[in-house]
Amino acid sequence: MTPVATPFFFYLLSGLALLGGILVITRKNAVHSALALILTLLALAGLYLMLYAPFVAGVQIILYAGGIMVLFLFVIMLVSIEKSQREDQFNKQWIGGLVGAVALGALFVRVFVRSKALHDLTGMPMAQLPEQSNTQEIAVYLYGNYMLAFEIASLLLLVAIIGAVVMAKKRI
Amino acid sequence: MQSVESFVVVSLIKSVIAVFVLLTAVAYSVWLERKVVGHIQNRWGPTRVGPFGLLQPLADGIKFLFKEDITPPHVYKTLYIAAPMLSVIFALTSISVIPIGNWVTIAGVHTPLQITDVNIALLIILGVTSMGVYGVALAGWSSNSKYSLLGGLRASAQMVSYEISLGLSLIGVLIMAGSFSLRDIVDSQSGVFWGFIPRWNIFHGQTVAFFVYLMSAFAETNRVPFDLPEAETELVAGYHTEYSAMKFAMFFMAEYANMITVACLATLLFLGGWHGPIWGLTWMQAVLPVFWFLAKVFCFLFLYIWIRGTLPRFRYDQLMAFAWKFLFPLAVANLVITGLVVALRS
């Protein structure tokens, strides 16, 4: 069956992701911010699904929305709300923020223009992996082409875990 | 190739049937639990409403609907109301990808016996169950009381910890089947060894994985002996202390719906799904696979209740040590050995 109402779902999911992102920084209650972040992550998973990347979508939900955010919430739930609501929500580092935002925006615009120009120039269709072998392709890339980067990332995580244990335990 | 309209209509019909059957099954597993635990403890269980107390779930449902719905004044209202809904939604969603039998043709429509056949069904179920923890965690936080918060914290820590060994125990099965599709996984378990032992994964190299799955699944659904989030001797009722009437019933329904999902998943992944001896007339051959599936699910649910009637509760440090120092290494070892054997064979 061919996909139905693709633009509708794309704009719906993108809108939800943006809405969630805005809510994360405007809510005063940290628990509400965390929930808005979960909304963004879920909408992103939907977008991955629309790109025929079901494995990435699944991992996005299981790891980010279902794993990491639970730990976020776990910590936030222990924070006293009355106290946090009296504090200032935003700090006053306007200049740094502005520079960062402009740089990031320029990067996005450049990538978008480049990719569109490149796409028009060569007339090449976007790379499409068949849905069936998507998981396998990811595994081949991860453990074949990008083996070294993958192992370095794992090592970094291992160091972080050991660091956390060392800091938590007085006597090892 | 079918049209969009027929797809929507068929899916709607299947969804309605699936939800109806699931909710009935939830109601009667509560009845079964009260009956079986009653007999284990030398009592009768429900006997008054209908023969053998069979109408007790109906009476309970009516009672829940008409009870006063108290919202305590100190709660965070929006999330307090949303939490039980989230629990139920995530608990009911996972049934949508669970197949209970092969393809059938009814009234000219050729359709699988499941709401939708996707090739990442297992990932969807894992994702939905990992989201299910939010219902419990938010209920604990939004109730704004000590018992609820402790229950919610315990639940989120416990579910995140046990999710890891649960996921790892499933990967062995995935390696053997080579697919995320529950249908392919069941098909990979057809046939028999030496003429009588079925080629189910539990007898076919994944015995350890099955027991890891069993224990993690018990912890994921907050059942005895892992029911620390609602340990009534210390926490009154844990995360649902402040809930009453239908909102409480929703948590209850979510818990039992999760039990049924876990039982279905165990049947599909380790117990051969709908495979079983098939004989007799044409209509019997059509019905028997579904019967075998439901029978296996029933046995798994019975095991759940049996264990509830038998074992005492863990202490919290024991619970965590069990997850990280026993189940997790065991699941990793099983995964490595399975991978090695499969790689050597191919």
Side-chain angles (χ1 to χ4, degrees):
Chain A
M1 208 166 61
T2 49
V4 187
T6 330
F8 169 74
F9 281 114
F10 173 75
Y11 286 114
L12 179 75
L13 290 169
S14 312
L16 281 177
L18 287 175
L19 179 77
I22 293 169
L23 286 178
V24 171
I25 50 171
T26 50
R27 293 297 90 193
K28 247 186 145 33
N29 189 333
V31 171
H32 294 173
S33 292
L35 291 179
L37 190 53
I38 295 167
L39 178 70
T40 305
L41 293 172
L42 287 180
L44 284 185
L47 286 175
Y48 291 145
L49 213 53
M50 289 187 66
L51 291 169
Y52 292 97
F55 181 75
V56 182
V59 170
Q60 166 91 1
I61 294 179
I62 295 170
L63 280 189
Y64 284 90
I68 293 175
M69 286 313 294
V70 174
L71 297 180
F72 269 47
L73 209 61
F74 189 88
V75 175
I76 293 171
M77 285 200 302
L78 294 173
V79 175
S80 155
I81 292 178
E82 285 77 19
K83 202 178 157 196
S84 68
Q85 275 181 341
R86 280 199 302 274
E87 287 174 5
D88 281 345
Q89 193 174 8
F90 299 105
N91 58 20
K92 299 287 187 297
Q93 293 163 340
W94 283 103
I95 300 167
L98 207 63
V99 170
V102 167
L104 197 64
L107 185 69
F108 281 155
V109 169
R110 180 158 170 76
V111 167
F112 179 71
V113 170
R114 274 285 294 269
S115 66
K116 196 162 178 348
L118 201 72
H119 180 64
D120 291 343
L121 201 68
T122 56
M124 238 169 44
M126 299 288 183
Q128 268 199 352
L129 296 171
E131 200 180 344
Q132 209 71 43
S133 66
N134 187 278
T135 315
Q136 213 169 1
E137 296 281 335
I138 291 173
V140 168
Y141 279 122
L142 214 55
Y143 296 104
N145 304 17
Y146 302 109
M147 182 76 172
L148 187 65
F150 180 76
E151 290 302 334
I152 290 173
S154 331
L155 200 66
L156 210 62
L157 285 176
L158 186 65
V159 170
I161 294 171
I162 293 173
V165 172
V166 169
M167 284 170 82
K169 285 219 164 190
K170 286 205 180 73
R171 290 178 53 210
I172 299 166
Chain B
M1 241 351 134
Q2 49 184 169
S3 69
V4 177
E5 289 81 14
S6 83
F7 174 76
V8 169
V9 169
V10 170
S11 302
L12 267 181
I13 293 172
K14 282 196 287 190
S15 309
V16 170
I17 293 174
V19 169
F20 179 76
V21 170
L22 181 63
L23 289 182
T24 314
V26 165
Y28 277 92
S29 44
V30 177
W31 173 82
L32 184 74
E33 169 149 17
R34 291 177 64 178
K35 213 59 181 167
V36 172
V37 171
H39 280 278
I40 287 174
Q41 297 168 347
N42 216 356
R43 297 181 286 114
W44 282 108
T47 52
R48 295 303 169 98
V49 196
F52 308 107
L54 270 172
L55 294 178
Q56 186 69 42
L58 196 68
D60 284 346
I62 294 172
K63 189 192 84 173
F64 276 130
L65 276 175
F66 285 101
K67 270 182 97 165
E68 186 188 355
D69 193 358
I70 302 166
T71 307
H74 51 76
V75 300
Y76 302 109
K77 208 156 180 194
T78 325
L79 287 178
Y80 175 82
I81 294 170
M85 295 181 186
L86 282 179
S87 275
V88 159
I89 289 170
F90 289 127
L92 294 186
T93 309
S94 39
I95 203 75
S96 63
V97 291
I98 287 179
I100 64 164
N102 249 321
W103 288 70
V104 289
T105 308
I106 298 170
V109 182
H110 191 58
T111 178
L113 277 180
Q114 82 196 88
I115 293 177
T116 177
D117 186 13
V118 287
N119 53 20
I120 52 155
L122 197 58
L123 278 180
I124 291 181
I125 292 181
L126 283 179
V128 169
T129 43
S130 71
M131 294 298 291
V133 64
Y134 286 118
V136 175
L138 289 177
W141 178 78
S142 66
S143 296
N144 200 9
S145 90
K146 290 190 182 69
Y147 295 127
S148 300
L149 183 64
L150 280 174
L153 287 177
R154 279 185 178 185
S156 34
Q158 172 179 335
M159 283 164 103
V160 167
S161 306
Y162 277 86
E163 223 166 63
I164 295 169
S165 40
L166 183 83
L168 284 175
S169 71
L170 302 183
I171 294 177
V173 175
L174 293 179
I175 291 177
M176 295 186 67
S179 169
F180 275 121
S181 160
L182 290 171
R183 204 164 279 282
D184 293 349
I185 292 171
V186 170
D187 286 341
S188 76
Q189 301 176 55
S190 58
V192 285
F193 293 121
W194 307 307
F196 67 100
I197 298 178
R199 257 180 90 94
W200 301 345
N201 275 332
I202 183 176
F203 302 126
H204 188 211
Q206 294 301 317
T207 319
V208 176
F210 176 73
F211 285 103
V212 173
Y213 173 82
L214 187 72
M215 287 177 269
S216 319
F218 272 55
E220 279 290 293
T221 45
N222 295 332
R223 295 281 302 179
V224 176
F226 302 101
D227 64 338
L228 275 297
E230 39 192 311
E232 59 274 347
T233 40
E234 335 160 8
L235 292 181
V236 187
Y239 60 89
H240 54 63
T241 305
E242 308 288 338
Y243 283 90
S244 54
M246 209 55 207
K247 292 206 200 79
F248 166 74
M250 280 161 113
F251 282 121
F252 214 65
M253 270 158 61
E255 183 182 326
Y256 281 85
N258 280 331
M259 271 170 65
I260 290 173
T261 308
V262 159
C264 288
L265 212 53
T267 307
L268 291 168
L269 295 175
F270 296 101
L271 304 177
W274 52 82
H275 291 304
I278 304 236
W279 73 93
L281 307 166
T282 321
W283 69 266
M284 272 175 71
Q285 289 182 359
V287 172
L288 268 176
V290 179
F291 170 76
W292 286 123
F293 181 82
L294 295 179
K296 287 171 191 173
V297 170
F298 176 82
C299 290
F300 201 87
L301 284 177
F302 189 84
L303 179 70
Y304 248 115
I305 297 166
W306 190 2
I307 287 178
R308 187 201 149 167
T310 313
L311 291 181
R313 189 178 291 136
F314 275 107
R315 224 170 47 215
Y316 201 71
D317 58 326
Q318 292 173 330
L319 177 93
M320 281 295 157
F322 185 66
W324 290 103
K325 294 181 185 164
F326 180 70
L327 278 187
F328 179 62
L330 196 64
V332 171
N334 175 66
L335 177 60
V336 170
I337 291 169
T338 308
L340 195 67
V341 170
V342 169
L344 286 179
R345 266 199 203 153
S346 62

